[in-house]
């Protein structure tokens, strides 16, 4: 079983990401291979759901000496990323998950 902390700062105005987060929670609960955590303690993976803005570092909580694998589930609907995003992704995340091959090519 993989222990996962689904982290997000999605608000009601971000309807697409809120729906995605809800779907991930439901899938992971039903799948049976995931132990969903409500905080970083005890988790092996932190999966952030949202956009990789420059301010993400302030949201990370200490890992109590344990190194979580940190990923992001994100998307972008334009053919080119904002200039700071590639650097931000490399600095803050171990992996990225996107919903389509087109997004993978853009990222």
């Amino acid at each position: 079983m993989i222990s996962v902390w689904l982290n997000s700062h999605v608000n009601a105005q971000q309807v697409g990401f809120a729906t995605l987060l809800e779907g991930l929670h439901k899938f992971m609960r039903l799948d049976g291979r995931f132990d969903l955590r409500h905080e970083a303690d005890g988790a092996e993976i932190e999966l952030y759901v949202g956009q990789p803005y420059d301010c993400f570092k302030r949201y990370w909580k200490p890992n109590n000496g344990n190194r979580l694998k940190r990923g992001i589930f994100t998307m972008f609907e334009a053919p080119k990323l904002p200039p700071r995003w590639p650097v931000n992704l490399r600095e803050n995340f171990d992996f990225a998950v996107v919903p389509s091959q087109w997004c993978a090519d853009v990222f």
Side-chain angles (χ1 to χ4, degrees):
M1 187 169 288
I2 301 169
S3 58
V4 178
W5 176 36
L6 287 177
N7 184 5
S8 186
H9 293 78
V10 170
N11 62 48
Q13 295 170 340
Q14 295 171 301
V15 175
F17 281 113
T19 302
L20 174 62
L21 186 62
E22 183 181 317
L24 281 171
H25 271 278
K26 182 178 179 180
F27 167 79
M28 289 180 160
R29 277 193 311 271
L30 294 173
D31 184 85
R33 292 179 288 177
F34 300 97
D35 174 19
L36 288 176
R37 302 294 177 120
H38 298 288
E39 57 186 32
D41 290 343
E44 299 168 70
I45 296 172
E46 174 182 6
L47 185 59
Y48 190 93
V49 178
Q51 299 288 0
Y53 297 124
D54 291 338
C55 62
F56 275 17
K57 284 186 180 180
R58 69 181 173 169
Y59 295 130
W60 295 144
K61 294 183 179 181
N63 295 336
N64 298 329
N66 297 326
R67 174 70 175 121
L68 287 172
K69 290 287 185 189
R70 288 185 165 152
I72 183 168
F73 194 127
T74 191
M75 62 194 82
F76 196 67
E77 298 171 352
K80 187 175 178 185
L81 295 177
R84 179 82 177 118
W85 282 24
V87 171
N88 189 282
L89 287 164
R90 283 191 300 275
E91 289 176 351
N92 292 287
F93 301 101
D94 298 307
F95 64 94
V97 178
V98 294
S100 69
Q101 183 61 51
W102 186 84
C103 280
D105 294 344
V106 170
F107 276 84

